[in-house]
Amino acid sequence: MSTQTVPTSTAADVKRVTTQTLQEMRAENTPIAMLTAYDYTSARILDAAGADVLLVGDSASNVMAGHETTLPITLDHMIYHAQCVVRGVQRALVVVDLPFGAYQGSSREALRSAIRVMKETGGHAVKLEGGARVIETVKRLVGSGIPVMGHLGLTPQSIYKFGTYKVRAREEDEADRLRRDARKLEKAGCFAIVLEKIPAALAAEVTEAISIPTIGIGAGAQTSGQVLVTHDLLGLTVDFNPRFVRRYADLAETVTGAVQQYVADVRSRDFPNENESY
Ligand code: KIV
């Protein structure tokens, strides 16, 4: 196993990102860079490379477990992924998604789930989806000392209600509801809100109207920050090509080439050579 892969720094060198840091970045108009992470090795690399926020997203259900939707992932699975990520992070704020079924029942159920996340993972905040219907829950969690990130627009846990992954809030009634939901989440105490797959003009308007950071995904350039699923950015999810993803690498091709070479070297007995043997 290789253990020498990323630059190392000691915890003492590093100033941690907090919810307060994000508020300051918003005030200074410094865009916030957030990415998803699900495991120790990747989290270490993403953190050392400068991501401000690592989201242990329930998209783990898709990219790690191969499910079609985010619905099957459980609270125990999310806790496992978050524990792995937290062990790899020195600087970034770690936000953990509350999965489908872990908070919708009641604010009491949500608090129980969020307390498990905070106690068992060492994560710094939780994220949950929805507007008006989660306000009581947000208040209860924040009132208990747990920072909460909201999530509006395309909320994948409601995919069977929407019936499609198309852009949300194009119609005025839904856009208006989203504006009101954002203000309610802010008032209830959220420290930031993810805006997913909504028109850029609406995301810009919401960002202007509230005093907490907005983090966009498919929401244009005028939000306080951006988030992408890391596997999309790295070109590991080959059959997923939405317009809002920019691919910064083609790791599927790189990995395929490396593995093909390894297989060929094993077959030809080129690997291992004398220097790689004892
Ligand atoms: O689970 C996830 O990856 C997310 C981001 C897309 C915001 O919620």
Side-chain angles (χ1 to χ4, degrees):
M1 190 192 76
S2 168
T3 53
Q4 272 293 305
T5 49
V6 289
T8 51
S9 54
T10 60
D13 299 335
V14 177
K15 188 160 185 274
R16 291 212 79 117
V17 176
T18 66
T19 56
Q20 185 59 35
T21 315
L22 302 188
Q23 191 61 47
E24 286 161 11
M25 289 174 79
R26 181 194 179 281
E28 292 159 4
N29 209 14
T30 304
I32 298 159
M34 170 160 133
L35 282 173
T36 62
Y38 318 104
D39 67 278
Y40 166 78
T41 303
S42 311
R44 240 187 120 191
I45 296 170
L46 302 176
D47 183 56
D52 303 307
V53 183
L54 290 185
L55 171 66
V56 185
D58 59 358
S59 51
S61 179
N62 309 108
V63 294
M64 299 303 288
H67 293 296
E68 209 173 298
T69 72
T70 58
L71 276 71
I73 200 161
T74 65
L75 185 59
D76 285 340
H77 293 144
M78 291 301 299
I79 285 173
Y80 171 74
H81 286 295
Q83 287 168 337
C84 299
V85 167
V86 166
R87 284 194 284 269
V89 167
Q90 291 189 355
R91 173 182 173 269
L93 183 82
V94 178
V95 180
V96 184
D97 258 338
L98 290 183
F100 180 69
Y103 65 96
Q104 288 88 348
S106 66
S107 64
R108 185 184 287 257
E109 176 192 47
L111 182 60
R112 214 177 300 122
S113 300
I115 285 176
R116 278 200 64 198
V117 168
M118 301 301 283
K119 264 189 183 302
E120 296 177 36
T121 74
H124 310 126
V126 299
K127 176 165 84 57
L128 46 77
E129 297 182 4
R133 72 183 159 83
V134 298
I135 294 306
E136 190 197 324
T137 292
V138 173
K139 284 185 184 161
R140 189 162 197 156
L141 268 52
V142 174
S144 306
I146 301 173
V148 180
M149 179 179 273
H151 186 156
L152 296 172
L154 179 67
T155 46
Q157 291 176 10
S158 302
I159 189 57
Y160 290 119
K161 186 177 92 182
F162 296 145
T164 156
Y165 284 100
K166 281 195 192 132
V167 177
R168 303 303 311 176
R170 277 198 193 280
E171 306 300 327
E172 195 45 39
D173 59 340
E174 193 177 336
D176 209 42
R177 197 174 333 123
L178 191 142
R179 288 184 193 98
R180 279 185 270 119
D181 282 346
R183 277 191 220 103
K184 283 181 191 158
L185 289 173
E186 175 193 20
K187 205 162 162 224
C190 279
F191 70 89
I193 304 175
V194 167
L195 298 176
E196 181 164 353
K197 236 177 160 186
I198 63 171
L202 176 61
E205 188 193 323
V206 169
T207 301
E208 190 64 32
I210 61 177
S211 62
I212 55 174
T214 57
I215 311 286
I217 174 165
Q222 299 309 315
T223 48
S224 321
Q226 298 291 329
V227 56
L228 280 177
V229 169
T230 297
H231 288 56
D232 297 338
L233 167 151
L234 294 178
L236 284 164
T237 43
V238 283
D239 43 10
F240 182 64
N241 291 300
R243 170 177 170 155
F244 64 81
V245 170
R246 185 180 293 179
R247 291 199 190 284
Y248 289 84
D250 190 349
L251 285 199
E253 196 179 302
T254 306
V255 171
T256 302
V259 172
Q260 284 171 339
Q261 189 59 53
Y262 166 74
V263 171
D265 290 353
V266 169
R267 298 264 194 271
S268 67
R269 296 196 185 278
D270 177 80
F271 176 80
N273 63 25
E274 246 177 64
N275 290 336
E276 291 156 339
S277 305
Y278 296 97

